[in-house]
Amino acid sequence: MTTIKLHNTKTRKKEVFAPLDQDDVRMYVCGPTVYDRAHLGNARPVVVFDVLYRLLRHVYGPDHVTYVRNFTDVDDKINARAAESGRAIGEITAETTQWFLDDMAELGALEPNHMPRATQYIPQMVAMIEDLIAKGHAYAAEGHVLFAVDSWRESYGKLSGRSVDDMIAGARVEVAPYKRNPMDFVLWKPSDEGQPGWDSPWGRGRPGWHIECSAMAYELLGESFDIHGGGNDLMFPHHENEIAQSCCAHPEGEFARYWLHNEMLQVEGKKMSKSLGNFFTVRDLLDQGVPGEVIRFAFLSTHYRKPMDWTAEKARSAERALRRWRSLVEGIKPGQLPKEVEDFLADDLNTAGALNFLGHLGQVLFQKAGSTWNAGPETLKDPEWSRLAGEFVASAQLLGLLYPTLGQWTEVPDLHPLARRLSECRTAARASKDFSEVDALKAALVDAGVEVRMSKEGVELVPGPGFDAAKLEGLK
Ligand code: AMP
Ligand code: ZN
């Protein structure tokens, strides 16, 4: 069996991944708060952990992996959105949840096995909070319940590498009169008349954010499971608090054993933010005609532990590569997976390495096809070429790429007649020494996003970035 190595935030080392149970490898990833469209940064953990999910399924078998990703559907941001729009909370969360699923499907992300909604697990959260109080790790005060950080002082902060004293000194914590220690965090808080609330031993109220992941992970994965993931902005306080809650409620377990954090996404070298005007959603890009597969490819070209810079140039080169590859292996079924690709991914998800390997393999196929991205019938009959093409498709699909159904690619019309016409024009122009028609045709093709390659062997047309079939209509 392939050995997977993962960088574990908990130990700050790349470690050999050994699941508790090879027949049921378990992973939890923090999901979105559903009040708005997912922005491009939100999509990064989805794609990163989708690749890990695919790798685990490949190594342990598709039926031997359980992947849980939650929806946070109770949150003050949601309440605020409801108040300002006059819409019902349930309507907003249901709509946003579906948007998220639709948008992530466009990026080729498989749906996790379980997608629990926080509001469906309130009784389990209440039970966990009661248990924490009984064990002396939490206390009720003025309608709130708080986790008592001092009851777990030695361990609190280990994941993110901070001590409680440093945190108190450096943090902008909310100092409330009912807190015993300024670092104590909310497990339960009271709800006003107009806010969503549930009856509890502490009055009508709602859960804090952190307890939701602890309760749902316990219900669906047990007191110990293998992998916990999320963006590194969640490491503190969210993940630190999840650990405190879960380890104190279930001291018999160890909660998550491997912690993986993706770095943040930036846009053209800057933090994505509304005030910088470089904030956009996944749907914005899809609506501009950027296929979801292009976004996925661009994400995978950077290792998940490095900041990822989204640039228009990267999107263009991802689109160029994907259009060529799609044309190269159209109709080819996945074959044997090359060991190299598995090895790249098993090495802490080296997706950039795997993509590079694919790039080289693509070049080999291109050369062997006679320097064309449109393999002719002779090439397709060549068993060596077909074998390599099958390997190519299998590799791409382990990365979630080149699925025939993936991605909003516009139908590509048959470009051969246009290539023939350009070639004939060129022959005529050589005789007449008048190249104006050749130049005009070429310019029109380029304007439609077609890459024109003219060589001694002939003319080849490949759809490139920004390909627009409508613009070819007038050329027929
Ligand atoms: P949120 O809805 O803000 O809790 O975020 C949902 C997920 O998106 C979390 O895993 C965050 O870590 C992640 N995330 C938010 N912003 C970014 C970003 N700019 N780059 C990468 N991941 C992000
Ligand atoms: Zn969480």
Side-chain angles (χ1 to χ4, degrees), residues 114-368:
H114 301 279
M115 296 188 283
R117 275 85 166 147
T119 51
Q120 293 167 346
Y121 286 80
I122 304 287
Q124 291 86 340
M125 293 181 215
V126 168
M128 196 170 201
I129 296 171
E130 286 186 295
D131 189 25
L132 285 168
I133 295 177
K135 288 180 170 139
H137 290 296
Y139 59 96
E142 298 180 29
H144 292 70
V145 181
L146 293 129
F147 184 90
V149 165
D150 285 321
S151 75
W152 211 60
R153 204 177 169 99
E154 286 311 303
S155 303
Y156 190 72
K158 279 224 174 109
L159 179 74
S160 50
R162 321 167 186 222
S163 74
V164 175
D165 292 331
D166 292 349
M167 284 189 256
I168 294 174
R172 285 175 297 167
V173 287
E174 189 196 340
V175 184
Y178 48 79
K179 283 190 185 179
R180 291 182 190 163
N181 179 318
M183 293 312 295
D184 290 353
F185 56 89
V186 168
L187 301 175
W188 189 263
K189 57 186 168 187
S191 292
D192 297 339
E193 191 84 6
Q195 290 171 324
W198 291 262
D199 289 329
S200 81
W202 319 286
R204 185 174 171 279
R206 59 196 192 280
W209 169 36
H210 318 296
I211 193 71
E212 124 190 7
C213 288
S214 284
M216 294 190 289
Y218 176 69
E219 289 299 320
L220 295 164
L221 299 176
E223 72 266 355
S224 305
F225 59 92
D226 300 301
I227 299 171
H228 193 310
N232 65 357
D233 56 329
L234 301 183
M235 205 186 296
F236 182 84
H238 184 55
H239 290 163
E240 208 68 78
N241 294 353
E242 282 187 34
I243 295 175
Q245 297 160 160
S246 295
C247 291
C248 288
H250 303 290
E252 72 282 12
E254 48 179 330
F255 194 44
R257 301 167 61 241
Y258 299 84
W259 284 83
L260 269 70
H261 290 99
N262 64 274
E263 252 289 353
M264 294 292 100
L265 175 127
Q266 306 176 330
V267 175
E268 308 282 353
K270 296 199 183 71
K271 184 177 154 69
M272 183 156 81
S273 86
K274 289 205 166 122
S275 61
L276 288 175
N278 64 0
F279 180 96
F280 47 87
T281 66
V282 172
R283 183 52 55 180
D284 290 335
L285 283 180
L286 296 173
D287 285 349
Q288 286 161 25
V290 178
E293 191 177 14
V294 167
I295 300 175
R296 184 179 185 95
F297 184 112
F299 280 11
L300 297 183
S301 65
T302 300
H303 189 256
Y304 76 94
R305 297 212 308 123
K306 296 205 183 105
M308 147 89 211
D309 195 20
W310 174 267
T311 64
E313 180 47 39
K314 240 177 228 171
R316 266 194 303 276
S317 64
E319 182 174 343
R320 186 176 299 116
L322 283 168
R323 286 197 182 275
R324 289 175 172 177
W325 292 358
R326 283 194 161 258
S327 153
L328 188 65
V329 295
E330 223 219 295
I332 304 278
K333 299 264 180 306
Q336 183 82 29
L337 182 76
K339 179 90 173 57
E340 289 91 334
V341 171
E342 202 174 22
D343 287 347
F344 276 122
L345 293 188
D347 180 17
D348 196 27
L349 299 183
N350 184 357
T351 51
L355 277 182
N356 260 325
F357 179 85
L358 264 178
H360 289 303
L361 189 51
Q363 279 299 328
V364 170
L365 287 164
F366 167 83
Q367 301 290 348
K368 281 187 187 293

Side-chain angles (χ1 to χ4, degrees), residues 17-90:
F17 174 66
L20 287 166
D21 178 358
Q22 294 204 353
D23 291 330
D24 186 19
V25 180
R26 284 160 288 161
M27 170 162 85
Y28 186 97
V29 175
C30 295
T33 304
V34 279
Y35 65 101
D36 210 345
R37 284 271 182 202
H39 62 66
L40 193 61
N42 296 138
R44 192 175 190 198
V46 174
V47 171
V48 165
F49 292 103
D50 181 65
V51 172
L52 179 54
Y53 182 43
R54 287 172 187 272
L55 176 67
L56 294 171
R57 285 162 59 100
H58 169 73
V59 172
Y60 295 96
D63 299 332
H64 300 291
V65 185
T66 306
Y67 173 19
V68 178
R69 188 185 61 215
N70 67 300
F71 282 108
T72 298
D73 60 352
V74 46
D75 186 275
D76 289 345
K77 283 188 279 248
I78 305 174
N79 303 344
R81 185 56 57 97
E84 78 203 20
S85 65
R87 296 176 67 199
I89 286 176

